[in-house]
Amino acid sequence: MNSMYFTEEHEAFRQSFRDFLQKEVVPHIDKWEKEGTVERFIWKKFGEMGYFGLNQPEEYGGLGLDLFYTVIFLEELQKINSGGFAANMWAHAYLAMTHVNKEGDDRIKREYLTPSIEGDKIGCLCITEPFGGSDVAGMRTTAIKKGDTYVINGSKTFITNGVYSDYLVVAAKTNPEDKHKGMSIFIVDRDTPGISSTKLDKLGWRASDTAEIAFDNVVIPAESLMGEEGKGFPYIMQHFALERLVMGINAHARAEYAVDYVVQYMSEREAFGKTLDKFQALRHKVAEMASRVDMCREYNYSIAKRLNDGIYVVKEASMSKLLSTKMADEVIYDALQLLGGYGYMEEYPMARLLRDSRLGPIGGGTSEILKEIIAKMVIDKKEYRPAT
Ligand SMILES: Cc1cc2nc3c(=O)[nH]c(=O)nc-3n(C[C@H](O)[C@H](O)[C@H](O)COP(=O)(O)OP(=O)(O)OC[C@H]3O[C@@H](n4cnc5c(N)ncnc54)[C@H](O)[C@@H]3O)c2cc1C
């Protein structure tokens, strides 16, 4: 336990969440990985345990806890080795629900946030489009105001929880002429006529439903607008700080899982009459892997602390995601190697871990885009400010 950040209460939460995952989730993981979705009952159980409301306001049924409960939630989800299951849960709690809490008005919070916390409604966040995900401001989906409604047309892709969610948080252009200032955020019920989803097949995150979603003349009431019209872009950018830190934390946690697994494996597996952990070349490899994990983890904790204190950590969160996801990919690649042929087998954890990890440098802002942002801040002295 790192007592700089975690109290005894945090650690008690970690232990109880770990026990819950072992009992309620782990027995189903292989099935969900095969079927490409998780069953509805587990959402409800997460809701009943309060896991979706850790950082949400008490007024709407949340627990109002500090960010280190979220850190524990994310870390422990990674350590049961289903990046897809974890993604379903954190995309709901930290992508969709963040927008609902921050931009939704009281009615929206009562109708969507409270049931989301309780596990009765699942959300997804729809930003990426088939024509391009990195260029968020260049999106083509429109939401044109008509009387007291908006009419949405366009398409989104690679949306986590995109098939089975009950509501969609959708970014669309309310003023298509204007690149950055013309975007707004809406909350849309899944059963609104004109919405169709197609499930996508993919390399990893196989327990997660990732979808392409089409909006064909989808009419929604004007009060489905979240926050102010035209502020969608700054809202998205603002929440990217949390989203990227989430992905950085996920990365250090799965790499830590890989190192722990490999240390145990090497203490049992023998070659040339001795266990693998006696070979100096392999010992040095593990020493380097463990050092890299520690460096990222401690950095991520310090950024989580600053974010928890209300500091806008857009640069630091971008750096966290950039380097932690790269580190995780490399550490997991090496961990697989240390298992030899067993590393390549599905009955051992590294094959799935390697597949799942590969999404890290892509989703939620690719490494190239993160480097662009960091370069602008470091070289051009550009300052990003939160939306007001
Ligand atoms: C499994 C999965 C789940 C996802 N979940 C969600 C979700 O829930 N919601 C959501 O909205 N999105 C989601 N995404 C989308 C993800 O955020 C995008 O895939 C990502 O932002 C990249 O967009 P793109 O795929 O369109 O790549 P593109 O933008 O087409 O980029 C292609 C390549 O070009 C590079 N590139 C692009 N522009 C530049 C530039 N200016 N300089 C240098 N290099 C550049 C990119 O880094 C990348 O390597 C998910 C993606 C996946 C795969």
Side-chain angles (χ1 to χ4, degrees):
M1 162 171 131
N2 184 332
S3 59
M4 266 175 74
Y5 305 107
F6 298 102
T7 62
E8 280 181 16
E9 286 76 24
H10 285 120
E11 289 308 324
F13 169 68
R14 187 188 291 281
Q15 192 53 52
S16 69
F17 186 46
R18 203 177 268 172
D19 293 345
F20 171 87
L21 291 173
Q22 287 302 325
K23 183 164 170 267
E24 306 290 352
V25 177
V26 170
H28 307 284
I29 287 287
D30 286 346
K31 180 174 174 234
W32 295 340
E33 285 277 324
K34 276 201 186 80
E35 291 176 354
T37 185
V38 308
E39 286 160 276
R40 196 76 192 203
F41 75 86
I42 196 64
W43 293 91
K44 187 62 192 160
K45 284 198 174 168
F46 265 61
E48 284 165 359
M49 295 299 290
Y51 297 141
F52 292 137
L54 296 176
N55 67 333
Q56 297 293 346
E58 290 173 76
E59 194 187 346
Y60 296 100
L63 297 170
L65 296 168
D66 67 65
L67 200 57
F68 282 91
Y69 286 90
T70 291
V71 170
I72 292 168
F73 176 82
L74 298 168
E75 288 181 331
E76 294 305 319
L77 275 177
Q78 291 300 308
K79 293 186 178 188
I80 56 169
N81 195 18
S82 171
F85 175 77
N88 292 343
M89 299 296 135
W90 64 254
H92 167 62
Y94 296 101
L95 304 190
M97 284 171 64
T98 297
H99 280 275
V100 178
N101 178 38
K102 298 288 183 192
E103 285 107 47
D105 58 20
D106 181 63
R107 180 196 64 83
I108 289 176
K109 285 184 195 173
R110 293 203 185 280
E111 284 183 23
Y112 296 92
L113 188 62
T114 300
S116 295
I117 291 170
E118 291 169 349
D120 289 326
K121 278 189 179 173
I122 305 169
C124 66
L125 177 62
C126 308
I127 297 175
T128 305
E129 303 198 345
F131 308 101
S134 300
D135 181 11
V136 173
M139 70 173 51
R140 299 185 191 175
T141 298
T142 55
I144 303 302
K145 193 151 192 198
K146 277 200 183 144
D148 55 0
T149 64
Y150 285 93
V151 182
I152 305 181
N153 277 292
S155 53
K156 299 286 174 182
T157 197
F158 307 144
I159 306 305
T160 304
N161 294 333
V163 179
Y164 300 108
S165 51
D166 303 293
Y167 66 89
L168 303 83
V169 175
V170 181
K173 287 282 178 71
T174 34
N175 179 3
E177 312 303 314
D178 203 331
K179 217 177 170 215
H180 293 88
K181 291 183 183 152
M183 191 188 302
S184 304
I185 304 280
F186 298 89
I187 193 148
V188 183
D189 285 319
R190 153 82 47 194
D191 55 10
T192 314
I195 299 178
S196 55
S197 291
T198 312
K199 189 166 176 161
L200 302 169
D201 195 9
K202 55 196 186 298
L203 173 70
W205 280 26
R206 297 197 66 88
S208 173
D209 68 292
T210 307
E212 180 157 344
I213 305 178
F215 298 85
D216 180 13
N217 282 313
V218 176
V219 181
I220 55 167
E223 58 265 26
S224 306
L225 173 72
M226 294 213 290
E228 286 177 46
E229 191 176 290
K231 283 257 180 86
F233 189 74
Y235 292 145
I236 292 169
M237 292 298 131
Q238 178 168 335
H239 302 326
F240 269 160
L242 173 64
E243 188 178 327
R244 286 169 182 164
L245 184 60
V246 163
M247 295 192 75
I249 291 166
N250 289 342
H252 83 230
R254 64 177 172 269
E256 186 171 58
Y257 168 81
V259 172
D260 288 348
Y261 187 87
V262 116
V263 166
Q264 179 65 29
Y265 182 86
M266 288 168 65
S267 73
E268 293 164 4
R269 175 76 176 171
E270 290 191 7
F272 298 93
K274 55 184 180 180
T275 53
L276 293 179
D277 61 5
K278 299 290 185 297
F279 290 93
Q280 190 182 42
L282 306 188
R283 293 169 67 84
H284 285 193
K285 174 60 77 185
V286 172
E288 195 182 314
M289 291 158 68
S291 306
R292 296 181 70 194
V293 174
D294 261 42
M295 295 282 288
C296 285
R297 188 185 54 227
E298 291 303 313
Y299 180 79
N300 292 342
Y301 285 171
S302 79
I303 304 312
K305 170 85 173 66
R306 284 200 250 170
L307 186 59
N308 189 56
D309 291 345
I311 300 168
Y312 189 47
V313 290
V314 63
K315 180 180 79 179
E316 294 83 352
S318 302
M319 290 174 165
S320 159
K321 181 176 184 290
L322 176 68
L323 293 190
S324 303
T325 58
K326 182 170 195 281
M327 177 280 293
D329 275 4
E330 290 168 1
V331 163
I332 292 165
Y333 184 94
D334 286 342
L336 190 149
Q337 183 74 14
L338 287 167
L339 266 67
Y342 294 99
Y344 206 68
M345 297 296 128
E346 288 293 334
E347 57 191 308
Y348 286 74
M350 288 309 144
R352 183 190 297 161
L353 196 60
L354 184 76
R355 279 199 303 270
D356 288 351
S357 186
R358 192 59 188 85
L359 196 264
I362 298 170
T366 63
S367 294
E368 291 77 15
I369 293 302
L370 296 177
K371 286 180 198 170
E372 277 298 299
I373 293 168
I374 296 165
K376 279 184 196 154
M377 299 187 85
V378 171
I379 300 169
D380 307 332
K381 312 294 178 207
K382 184 175 166 88
E383 284 188 29
Y384 291 93
R385 294 186 195 288
T388 47

